Amino acid sequence: MGLVKHAILVAGGLGTRMLPASGAVAKEMLPLFDIPAMTHLALEAVQAGVENIHIITSPKKDFSNYLEDKTWLLEKRPDIKNELLNPFSEIKVFVHTQEVPLGLGNAIAQALDDIDGPFLVLLGDNLLIDSHTTCNDFIPSKASKKLVQAYQESNIPCVGLFEVSDEEVSNYGVVDLEGGLIRRIVEKPTKENAPTNNVLCGRYLFTGDTKELLQRFSVEEYGELQSIEIQKHWMRGTGLRGVTLDGFQWYDSGAPLPWLKAQIDHALRRKDVSEELLDWIKNRI
């Protein structure tokens, strides 16, 4: 069983649903209250034990300024943890460009020449939050750590799962679970045809055979469903484990209204601003 030393942060999407905001700043850099989404993702991966982070971007997006050392800002705000200004300071960072948006599998493929063994995949506009902490007591999400622990127990690839309402299932890949293993993935079913309410939520732990499988199940043949086909291959063989992320909130920075709801929900759970915000909301409505 290989150690999970690598994580891929997929941030190549154009973010068209977030225009005009995403025309000025990448959607992955939008803050959840006061901490960029990308910082949440990076520190979640570090919390899971990785030593290398691979950022998948597009030709029109530039994260170079974000990756620069920001230690000098601590003089202005000594109350902020250094890791929030320099989330990549303890690990190696690689930036890979996906020239054409051809789906998740193709995005992952851009980094695989620099990866050996199993690796995490985190979608850049999906936050899974279990600790609603402030800038001076920040605790990273344990979502990816849970996948690593599940992999260490089973030695098979894993995917994160989140339970959604009946009305939401048609937006996601819905899975059928049996004894912790995924038996079926149904892409965007109607609520009548959804086998369960457990959906794929943007967290994956793929194994070292991924590169070979991406070549076998090519993007030319399977398009944007290439990564789903690989998961189905594992389901037919070694198995694909589902890791239910109970106790987490799932926030999506890919569209304006869900992101606004995320801001409010997260802020209402933070001890530093929740009381004042709740009073304002009560007076406002």
Side-chain angles (χ1 to χ4, degrees), residues 39-249:
T39 299
H40 278 280
L41 294 169
L43 295 178
E44 176 186 326
V46 172
Q47 168 93 335
V50 305
E51 300 172 2
N52 310 274
I53 286 183
H54 303 258
I55 300 174
I56 309 299
T57 185
S58 69
K60 297 293 186 181
K61 297 169 81 168
D62 183 6
F63 292 102
S64 58
N65 180 64
Y66 174 61
L67 298 174
E68 291 177 357
D69 180 45
K70 302 290 194 308
T71 303
W72 61 275
L73 287 171
L74 293 174
E75 297 177 4
K76 308 293 185 181
R77 287 288 305 275
D79 58 308
I80 295 177
K81 282 191 169 185
N82 176 60
E83 63 183 0
L84 294 176
L85 291 171
N86 299 294
F88 301 97
S89 60
E90 301 298 323
I91 55 175
K92 294 180 180 179
V93 181
F94 303 81
V95 179
H96 311 269
T97 301
Q98 184 185 26
E99 297 293 341
V100 181
L102 295 174
L104 177 59
N106 180 258
I108 291 170
Q110 308 310 309
L112 293 184
D113 284 345
D114 295 313
I115 292 177
D116 57 345
F119 57 93
L120 287 162
V121 179
L122 299 84
L123 299 192
D125 54 6
N126 286 252
L127 299 184
L128 281 300
I129 305 293
D130 58 334
S131 296
H132 300 267
T133 45
T134 70
C135 284
N136 59 7
D137 64 352
F138 181 79
I139 300 173
S141 168
K142 301 180 186 67
S144 288
K145 187 174 183 177
K146 288 194 68 173
L147 266 68
V148 170
Q149 291 170 338
Y151 170 73
Q152 290 171 339
E153 293 169 1
S154 62
N155 198 30
I156 61 175
C158 308
V159 297
L161 303 176
F162 195 89
E163 187 173 356
V164 301
S165 67
D166 290 345
E167 290 67 34
E168 295 176 285
V169 291
S170 60
N171 297 321
Y172 304 104
V174 182
V175 307
D176 197 359
L177 277 172
E178 181 182 322
L181 295 178
I182 295 175
R183 299 304 184 191
R184 183 164 51 128
I185 300 175
V186 184
E187 275 296 304
K188 298 183 178 180
T190 63
K191 64 180 181 180
E192 293 79 15
N193 293 327
T196 69
N197 289 68
N198 290 311
V199 305
L200 302 173
C201 61
R203 294 295 182 276
Y204 308 87
L205 197 158
F206 287 174
T207 43
D209 56 346
T210 301
K211 183 176 181 179
E212 183 271 326
L213 291 173
L214 284 170
Q215 294 169 347
R216 185 191 310 180
F217 302 104
S218 68
V219 68
E220 290 79 13
E221 183 175 357
Y222 293 96
E224 293 196 1
L225 296 181
Q226 185 185 20
S227 61
I228 295 294
E229 197 61 33
I230 290 174
Q231 292 170 67
K232 290 180 178 179
H233 168 82
W234 285 322
M235 289 159 52
R236 295 189 295 266
T238 57
L240 179 64
R241 184 167 178 178
V243 180
T244 304
L245 297 174
D246 295 325
F248 289 76
Q249 279 70 50

